[in-house]
Amino acid sequence: QVHLVESGGGSVQAGGSLRLSCVASGFAFSDNCMGWFRQAPGKEREGVATIDSSGKTVYAAFVKDRFTISRDNTKSTLFLRMNSLQPDDSAMYYCAKRASSAGYCDAGWIYALDARGQGTLVTVSS
């Protein structure tokens, strides 16, 4: 059974940093495309970043070099380092696994998820 458990969210002031973690279990973590998406109240979910099985990363335009996604396959853990946080970054952040794709992350990954975590809340105050 697939499990994804996020942690690391919290409340910070604008300009601050957070590091999100997601511990995965129940599947071959290293062989899969993994990503983070976020959803703010009343808004559509939006993809934040992905990392494929080879370590290739892709970021949403709004990240603007502020966030870094990484993975530790030895610990089946996904990370998202977020710097220079702004109030618009406030949202629930979710770790997610793309459905079988041979480890590749495509542009439509957010619509092809087969697992996600419960989310961790990020609140950025001005």
Side-chain angles (χ1 to χ4, degrees), residues 56-67:
K56 177 184 175 183
T57 59
V58 177
Y59 296 93
F62 62 78
V63 169
K64 298 179 182 177
D65 298 324
R66 300 180 297 133
F67 297 178

Side-chain angles (χ1 to χ4, degrees), residues 28 37 41 46 61 63 71 83 92 101 104 106 108 113 118 120:
F37 70 91
E46 55 183 355
V63 169
R71 65 195 301 165
N83 296 326
M92 189 72 82
S101 65
Y104 174 69
D106 57 332
L113 306 178
Q118 82 288 350
T120 187

Side-chain angles (χ1 to χ4, degrees), residues 4-8 21-23 36 93-96 116-120:
L4 300 171
V5 180
E6 302 97 335
S7 61
S21 300
C22 171
V23 178
W36 292 92
Y93 283 72
Y94 298 89
C95 163
R116 71 172 199 185
Q118 82 288 350
T120 187

Side-chain angles (χ1 to χ4, degrees), residues 75-96:
K75 297 181 179 179
S76 295
T77 302
L78 182 72
F79 301 100
L80 183 69
R81 175 69 181 181
M82 303 187 293
N83 296 326
S84 302
L85 284 162
Q86 298 302 314
D88 284 349
D89 294 315
S90 297
M92 189 72 82
Y93 283 72
Y94 298 89
C95 163

